[in-house]
Structure formats: C-alpha cells, structure tokens
Amino acid sequence: MKGQRKFIQSLDVDRRITEIGLNFDRADVITFGLDIYLKAMKWSGCSRIYVPKIGVSDGLIRDLYHRSIVLRLNNRLFLPINWKYQA
C-alpha cells in the first residue's frame, strides 16, 4: 500500500483521473485517505485492511433506499400482479 501511495502521489490530479481512472471528486484527496489507512494499519498492527467499494454517504443512501423498498413491501403498496391500468 505504501508503494501505491507513492505512485499515486507522484501523479498530478489530471493524470490520476485519466491514467488510473480515479473519480474527479476523489483524485485530489486520495493520498490523504491512504495516509489514514496506513496509520490505522500501523496502529492496529495489521498487514491487510478491508476497503469498501462505496463510501459512507453512498452506503447510507443505498441503505435508505433498500429500507424504503422493504417498507413498501411490508405495507403492500405494490399493485397486484393482475392489476390493469384503466383510463
């Protein structure tokens, strides 16, 4: 992970986006995030760390969406299968 951080840090923001495919809103702060992960690994004494594919805010929105679907299913707000629209 230290090697990856060093490589990413050597690239400017535009190259981080174009060459390695980072999102434009993350390309400028990725090295700070890597510093946090490296410090957490050092302090905990671990050699591996699980990194989620989506961020916290994305995860919260996804969770709320899934909960709303379950709530609708539980409240039976979906139309019956044989329902037909009548104008």
Side-chain angles (χ1 to χ4, degrees), residues 22-35:
L22 291 178
N23 290 335
F24 72 94
D25 61 337
R26 304 270 200 265
D28 59 337
V29 296
I30 190 73
T31 55
F32 300 112
L34 288 170
D35 287 340

Side-chain angles (χ1 to χ4, degrees), residues 34-83:
L34 288 170
D35 287 340
I36 293 169
Y37 279 119
L38 287 168
K39 285 180 184 175
M41 291 172 70
K42 181 180 178 182
W43 293 336
S44 66
C46 69
S47 59
R48 295 182 188 182
I49 191 165
Y50 173 77
V51 179
K53 290 184 180 183
I54 60 174
V56 173
S57 60
D58 297 327
L60 289 172
I61 291 171
R62 187 177 190 181
D63 184 59
L64 288 170
Y65 173 75
H66 287 291
R67 286 180 191 213
S68 72
I69 289 175
V70 169
L71 183 63
R72 281 189 255 158
L73 285 172
N74 288 339
N75 291 329
R76 293 178 170 71
L77 293 178
F78 286 98
L79 299 171
I81 293 173
N82 60 355
W83 183 84

